[in-house]
């Protein structure tokens, strides 16, 4: 989302070469595929042919996208409802082996008291990154998801979870919940296993109820539905 502008750049290049042919939904999916390779993750063969929606469903986002303070059982239920099992959900969260989290989403674990499940040294570091209990929502104040290998999609995320260095509550819960912790332990020791499960689950995610044929359109500008 942080670099959504590049979706527009890719769309412009495609439209000038081959108008009204490649959907924004396919651009997003293939960008994820290529981003994963650039971050030294697995090569995932993805299908194309998704259409873009003819309406905007912003109101449905809150209903279907899990929140980082949700319980583990609710998070698992949400993924299960689109055919992704517990093992796959644990693997998908491994995407938090790259990228950042804004302080706004972290301060609830740091102030007024530090979440006791958080490693104390790590909490101290996070406080230095996020010194105010009430960060300005517009400020670019953040902590990296993974301080050791921030630009590699590897199993470092799971090693950190086992050392109580999960950044979001949802991350830390993955290591403590009995239904997910066995997978966390296995992924922490086996990067190949993590990559295999991540590939399998990302394919399922990318093929979740696509619009085909007349159900959708090829948007001209990814930020707007077509006029007609
Ligand atoms: C229970 C499910 C999930 C929750 C609650 C969740 C929540 C979050 C939150 C709160 C952030 C920080 C956003 C910010 O402060 O700017 C974040 C970042 C991120 N998430 Fe997730 N996430 C989930 C699943 C996933 C999945 C399935 C993927 C991909 C397969 C993913 C990939 C990422 C990435 C790459 C970032 C870093 C973004 C950046 O650097 O700008 N997340 N997530
Ligand atoms: Ca990493």
């Amino acid at each position: 989302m942080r670099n959504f502008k590049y979706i527009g750049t890719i769309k412009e290049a495609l439209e000038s070469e081959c108008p009204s042919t490649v959907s924004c939904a396919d651009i997003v999916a293939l960008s994820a595929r290529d981003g994963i390779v650039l971050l030294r993750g697995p090569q995932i063969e993805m299908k194309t042919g998704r259409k873009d929606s003819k309406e905007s469903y912003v109101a449905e986002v809150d209903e279907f996208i899990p929140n980082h303070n949700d319980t583990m059982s609710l998070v698992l239920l949400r993924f299960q409802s689109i055919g992704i099992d517990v093992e796959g959900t644990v693997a998908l969260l491994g995407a938090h082996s790259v990228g950042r989290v804004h302080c706004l989403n972290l301060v609830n674990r740091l102030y007024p008291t530090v979440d006791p499940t958080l490693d104390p040294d790590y909490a101290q570091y996070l406080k230095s990154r996020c010194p105010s209990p009430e960060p300005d929502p517009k400020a670019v104040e953040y902590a990296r998801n993974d301080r050791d290998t921030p630009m590699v999609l590897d199993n470092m995320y799971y090693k950190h979870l086992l050392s109580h260095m999960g950044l979001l509550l949802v991350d830390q819960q993955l290591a403590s919940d009995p239904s997910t912790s066995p997978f966390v332990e296995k992924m922490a020791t086996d990067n190949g296993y993590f990559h295999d499960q991540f590939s399998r689950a990302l394919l399922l995610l990318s093929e979740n109820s696509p619009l085909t044929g007349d159900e959708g359109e090829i948007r001209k500008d990814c930020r707007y539905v077509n006029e007609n």
Side-chain angles (χ1 to χ4, degrees):
M1 297 295 222
R2 172 150 56 91
N3 285 319
F4 238 11
K5 58 185 183 231
Y6 295 122
I7 301 297
T9 311
I10 294 166
K11 181 64 176 170
E12 261 178 49
L14 281 163
E15 287 302 301
S16 71
E17 202 67 36
C18 198
S20 297
T21 306
V22 181
S23 70
C24 299
D26 275 349
I27 293 175
V28 171
L30 298 187
S31 299
R33 179 197 68 184
D34 293 352
I36 289 162
V37 171
L38 288 170
L39 294 162
R40 289 159 57 187
Q43 176 92 49
I44 306 171
E45 291 298 325
M46 268 192 202
K47 288 182 192 160
T48 54
R50 298 164 192 80
K51 291 280 182 72
D52 301 318
S53 68
K54 297 180 196 174
E55 277 178 65
S56 170
Y57 298 100
V58 69
E60 292 191 11
V61 171
D62 275 344
E63 200 184 325
F64 290 104
I65 305 281
N67 184 281
H68 59 98
N69 294 320
D70 283 349
T71 61
M72 195 32 69
S73 54
L74 184 57
V75 168
L76 293 175
L77 205 67
R78 297 225 191 258
F79 281 94
Q80 197 185 49
S81 73
I82 57 166
I84 300 178
D85 57 15
V86 176
E87 198 175 20
T89 304
V90 174
L92 280 181
L93 264 295
H96 291 171
S97 186
V98 298
R100 3 168 131 162
V101 173
H102 285 83
C103 292
L104 198 65
N105 293 320
L106 289 178
V107 285
N108 59 326
R109 298 193 73 199
L110 302 172
Y111 304 103
T113 51
V114 171
D115 180 335
T117 61
L118 207 54
D119 171 87
D121 290 338
Y122 189 54
Q124 211 47 48
Y125 159 76
L126 292 178
K127 278 181 151 181
S128 74
R129 296 288 308 169
C130 303
S132 163
E134 284 166 30
D136 172 358
K138 295 212 167 108
V140 187
E141 278 185 320
Y142 64 89
R144 276 183 153 167
N145 266 322
D146 175 353
R147 279 162 81 197
D148 290 311
T149 56
M151 298 300 284
V152 186
L153 184 64
D154 57 1
N155 65 343
M156 191 65 80
Y157 169 73
Y158 304 98
K159 295 181 187 177
H160 285 154
L161 296 188
L162 295 176
S163 317
H164 303 278
M165 297 196 290
L167 205 43
L168 298 167
L169 200 58
V170 71
D171 299 319
Q172 200 52 63
Q173 280 181 2
L174 221 51
S176 54
D177 192 291
S179 61
T180 50
S181 61
F183 298 119
V184 169
E185 280 166 30
K186 201 167 162 200
M187 287 180 201
T189 55
D190 189 342
N191 196 50
Y193 164 69
F194 160 55
H195 278 179
D196 288 347
Q197 287 299 321
F198 185 83
S199 305
R200 181 182 69 85
L202 199 84
L203 263 184
L204 290 170
L205 191 64
S206 76
E207 290 173 16
N208 170 39
S209 30
L211 299 175
T212 56
D214 288 342
E215 292 168 340
E217 62 185 17
I218 307 280
R219 283 193 195 173
K220 292 188 172 68
D221 180 333
C222 293
R223 292 185 301 156
Y224 305 99
V225 299
N226 293 342
E227 288 173 35
N228 47 37

